[in-house]
Amino acid sequence: AGMMFKKIDSARQATAENTAGVVTGVVQDTDSLTSYFDAAIQNQQGSEFKDIKNLEVLKRVEQFVPEFAKDAIRQAQANAFKRFGAQMEKMPAGERGQKFENYVGGINGDGMRKMEIIDQLENASNLPPEIVGKMETAKDITARKFQNQVEQAGQKFEDAGLGQQMQKRYFSNVAVGAPDVGQLRVMEEMRKRVNFDDASLNQQMENQRAKMMDNFQGQFNQPNGQATAEGFARLSEQMAQRPDPTTFQIMNALEEKVKTDPKKLEMLDKMRQEVKVQFIEQVQKDPEKFFSRITTNNPEDLAVFSQLKEEFKNNPEQFLAPPPQGNFQPNANGSIPETTPNNGVNGDQSMPTSNGQNNFQSMQPASIKPAQINKFFDQAIQKQTQAVTEQLGGIKNSEEFEQFNKKF
């Protein structure tokens, strides 16, 4: 049985790799490839959840394709999320949240990839509030199923070595290839929810997380200066798109990795400033919508909002200042040039994104009252506390209670 399982898993990987080679060998431009992936998803039979169910196949193929095809997969995924949101709008408001929860609880497959899909779906713009409100529950269910998968893999084979090999495979389903914020988020979401009884499994997960962190911070010292500048801009843009507790926790972990390297720490500080600017901009636009998307049921996340509130209290001008000015083009020796602080007065001098455009408008500190910002942080802490309390009160069984208890 063990050898059969191993052959099936290898065949699945080989099929994904072959599919990637065939498709990208025939279709060479991003738009056409997006249309191909869109059609493939829409032509599948299935329920109202088929648009997200079939994304796992694309995620499996994604690791084997060149960059232009990755862009096509990301666009096809965004299109699938839009169709899913529209489909959910057609469903009665009183039914769709529970149906989504039931769907997540009933599907099997790769836990890491499912967590990635749910985390990215959470950021989709057109989801009904009933679905947004179920995202934390969906992540908890996915994490419990992943934990069960890993633990059972070590028990179902007579050959202990094969069982350990399959457990390792589950952890490695988040890639350690090109640095990617989405992959780091998946590992962080799992870390906050999974706590194995077997300490060696917790260590395996931590080892995989450490590899990904090392890979990420290694982007700051590529031998090619242009690659460093472009890579840093891309990663900073990805971080700033999700100014939530998970992103701040990733940056806190990265700061621990680079704290002895002043240059890397400086670059990470710029990245962190981008995220803080986005946090304030988004909460100003629509506080209720923003909080509904970033509030979690995890007690650990309370510390993030408290930390941000303390940072603002200690230095409000610095907190609201745009990221330092800099074009991030390499010097003749390949290094990244020094940047100058932005005082927030001279307009849109924030860091350019990977396409060379400024993605963030400068904050105007004079127009933002400190009391207003403090109120935002108090709201975030209050809503986070309420969500944790509701999670505790809504626990249905011992498995859910055990998972909640381990979050502490």
Side-chain angles (χ1 to χ4, degrees), residues 151-168:
E151 291 175 338
Q152 290 170 10
Q155 300 166 1
K156 67 171 60 173
F157 302 118
E158 294 180 5
D159 184 341
L162 180 57
Q164 291 170 0
Q165 184 177 347
M166 294 313 301
Q167 288 175 324
K168 186 176 180 180

Side-chain angles (χ1 to χ4, degrees), residues 214-257:
D214 288 340
N215 192 39
F216 189 98
Q217 59 97 7
Q219 181 68 49
F220 298 167
N221 59 354
Q222 295 291 319
N224 183 326
Q226 182 67 43
T228 302
E230 293 174 354
F232 178 75
R234 176 179 62 83
L235 295 173
S236 186
E237 186 177 356
Q238 288 179 3
M239 285 281 197
Q241 287 171 356
R242 303 290 297 274
D244 62 5
T246 297
T247 294
F248 284 105
Q249 284 157 349
I250 289 171
M251 288 190 293
N252 288 343
L254 286 167
E255 283 177 3
E256 281 297 308
K257 288 275 187 184

